[in-house]
């Protein structure tokens, strides 16, 4: 039976979202909050940019890779060079297919040379586990843990205060994590996020989901902590130009096309898709993922054509109305003959709207601030 034939999975925090008046939608096979009553996408977006927000992103995949040499094994599979980080650090990386397309992008938490925790995307978790399990040598175990853990993201300028108010350590370096305790359960607190703002993601066993959520919510009250749904998560990440799998990267859109070469360990001996990606890098792609910023008010939509003098030169992959800039922005795969600063059109329902190719992020990021 396929995922599509099954009922959507509710988050372990579903009852809390119902109590908050959340509007739900299916996402990656899960039922997740899109926005909350009394707030909405715009208010939730603004809270993250200006104060602090909390997201339930438990739909994200979870898996463990363990056994002697687990990190070394993964380093022969994933694109980024896992040897460049030490235990206690996390790394953005990609799992590619033989043609260089992206099976998924994920975060690898290096716990030790013999244990790595992975967070892939919701819809791709089973496939990531399958591919890695089939490639694993004897002694290395790849285990899907998708429903065993929750992931809660606390994002915004006041995220440190909220974490400390909840009794968790904060202030550690970007892409590093610490392990804390909550009711006898281990909580991983990592300086990561998908919003561009300073923030943290907490990974904890599903058994303590409700009490952990309540603990953070209570600590956030003095700072105006706002529950935020996946609607605001999408507008926030698009303002930063962060790629979304299935739109900006996919099994047919490579990291070279998506300008994610920084997440590829080109000097490594091997990784899945290495030969195809090295060849593509050398010859150069025909299109590159670039940002678009509108000069007018009509937003684009994914799948719309990017045009110039009547010729199609690209395709919109992500688009939204930026709540921060009050203007439409987006991402598109565009012919390499065009570059930042060029004015192009987007065919919006038969009418050409003017956009300027603009290097993301569209807003000033705060994620790397000390």
């Amino acid at each position: 039976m396929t995922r599509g034939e099954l009922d959507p999975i509710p988050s372990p925090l579903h009852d809390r979202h119902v109590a908050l008046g959340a509007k739900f939608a299916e996402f990656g096979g899960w039922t997740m909050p899109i926005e909350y009553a009394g707030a909405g996408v715009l208010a939730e977006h603004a809270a993250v940019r200006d104060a602090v927000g909390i997201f339930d992103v438990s739909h994200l995949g979870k898996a463990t890779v363990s056994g002697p040499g687990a990190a070394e094994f993964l380093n022969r599979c994933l694109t980024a060079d896992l040897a460049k980080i030490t235990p206690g650090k996390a790394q953005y990386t990609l799992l590619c297919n033989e043609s260089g397309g992206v099976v998924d992008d994920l975060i690898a938490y290096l716990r030790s040379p013999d244990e790595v925790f992975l967070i892939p995307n919701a819809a791709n978790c089973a496939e990531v586990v399958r591919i890695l399990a089939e490639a694993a040598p004897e002694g290395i175990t790849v285990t899907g843990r998708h429903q065993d853990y929750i992931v809660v993201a606390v994002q915004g300028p006041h995220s440190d205060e909220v974490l400390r108010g909840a009794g968790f350590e904060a202030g550690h370096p970007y892409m590093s994590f610490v392990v804390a305790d909550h009711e006898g359960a281990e909580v991983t607190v990592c300086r990561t996020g998908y919003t561009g703002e300073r923030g943290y993601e907490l990974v904890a066993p599903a058994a303590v989901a409700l009490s952990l959520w309540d603990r953070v919510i209570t600590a956030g009250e003095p700072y105006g902590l706002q529950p935020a749904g996946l609607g605001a998560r999408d507008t926030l990440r698009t303002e930063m130009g962060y790629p979304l799998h299935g739109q900006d990267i996919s099994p047919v859109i490579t990291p070279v096309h998506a300008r994610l070469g920084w997440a590829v360990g080109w000097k490594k001996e091997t990784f899945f898709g290495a030969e195809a990606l090295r060849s593509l890098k050398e010859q150069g792609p025909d299109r590159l993922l670039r940002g678009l910023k509108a000069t007018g008010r009509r937003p684009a939509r994914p799948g719309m054509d990017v045009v110039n003098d009547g010729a199609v030169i690209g395709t919109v992959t992500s688009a939204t109305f930026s709540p921060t800039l009050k203007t439409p922005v987006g991402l598109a795969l565009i012919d390499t003959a065009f570059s930042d600063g060029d004015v192009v059109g987007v065919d919006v329902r038969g009418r050409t709207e003017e956009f300027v190719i603009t290097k993301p992020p569209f807003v000033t990021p705060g994620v790397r601030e000390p």
Side-chain angles (χ1 to χ4, degrees), residues 9-358:
I9 301 169
S11 163
L13 292 164
H14 185 80
D15 289 349
R16 291 296 186 269
H17 303 317
V18 171
L20 288 166
K23 177 181 178 181
F24 295 94
E26 182 178 350
F27 191 88
W30 288 58
T31 299
M32 298 300 296
I34 300 302
E35 61 182 6
Y36 292 88
V41 173
L42 296 181
E44 293 163 20
H45 179 110
V48 173
R49 288 278 182 249
D50 300 332
V52 62
I54 182 171
F55 300 81
D56 174 14
V57 286
S58 299
H59 65 293
L60 292 175
K62 305 98 184 169
T64 56
V65 181
S66 58
E72 185 178 349
F73 156 68
L74 271 181
N75 208 27
R76 298 193 299 270
C77 303
L78 306 178
T79 59
D81 191 349
L82 202 56
K84 288 188 174 181
I85 66 172
T86 55
K89 298 290 182 66
Q91 185 180 68
Y92 177 81
T93 188
L94 307 158
L95 176 64
C96 291
N97 55 32
E98 289 185 1
S99 61
V102 181
V103 175
D104 202 14
D105 62 336
L106 57 159
I107 302 290
Y109 290 67
L110 182 60
R111 297 189 179 277
S112 76
D114 301 330
E115 183 182 2
V116 183
F117 189 83
L118 301 177
I119 298 189
N121 285 292
N124 301 326
C125 186
E127 181 67 359
V128 169
V129 170
R130 183 192 68 79
I131 290 172
L132 293 177
E134 288 183 358
E138 185 177 353
I140 301 293
T141 302
V142 181
T143 307
R145 309 293 300 274
H146 202 168
Q147 297 186 53
D148 296 344
Y149 292 92
I150 61 162
V151 184
V152 172
V154 179
Q155 302 281 299
H158 293 308
S159 56
D160 281 34
E161 293 93 326
V162 174
L163 264 289
R164 291 189 178 111
F168 295 117
E169 182 179 338
H172 41 288
Y174 183 57
M175 295 300 282
S176 70
F177 63 90
V178 296
V179 176
D181 175 81
H182 174 71
E183 297 183 347
E186 183 178 282
V187 179
T188 300
V189 182
C190 193
R191 262 288 310 278
T192 50
Y194 198 44
T195 66
E197 297 300 330
R198 186 178 183 88
Y200 300 82
E201 291 177 308
L202 285 68
V203 182
V208 298
L210 298 179
S211 61
L212 178 64
W213 175 269
D214 293 345
R215 176 177 173 177
V216 177
I217 288 288
T218 299
E221 287 178 359
Y223 306 98
L225 180 67
Q226 171 64 55
L230 297 188
R233 181 174 164 86
D234 190 61
T235 57
L236 289 158
R237 72 94 189 169
T238 305
E239 285 189 343
M240 292 302 298
Y242 292 158
L244 175 65
H245 190 275
Q247 293 184 197
D248 312 299
I249 50 177
S250 75
V252 296
I253 303 175
T254 75
V256 176
H257 291 97
R259 305 174 82 181
L260 291 173
W262 57 268
V264 179
W266 296 109
K267 296 182 179 179
K268 291 200 303 181
E269 181 179 349
T270 190
F271 51 88
F272 292 170
E275 183 176 347
L277 287 173
R278 285 176 174 138
S279 176
L280 181 59
K281 181 187 178 187
E282 183 177 353
Q283 70 184 32
D286 57 345
R287 291 183 174 185
L288 288 172
L289 190 69
R290 295 190 179 276
L292 292 176
K293 185 177 179 181
T295 61
R297 301 284 292 179
R298 294 186 76 193
R301 291 288 182 264
M304 289 181 172
D305 289 335
V306 182
V307 297
N308 183 68
D309 290 334
V312 176
I313 61 166
T315 304
V316 176
T317 55
S318 285
T320 192
F321 185 85
S322 164
T324 303
L325 300 177
K326 306 295 190 293
T327 193
V329 297
L331 300 172
L333 281 169
I334 298 176
D335 190 296
T336 53
F338 297 84
S339 57
D340 295 342
D342 289 343
V343 177
V344 297
V346 173
D347 185 349
V348 182
R349 303 182 187 88
R351 176 177 170 179
T352 300
E353 297 292 331
E354 189 177 83
F355 283 75
V356 179
I357 299 178
T358 305

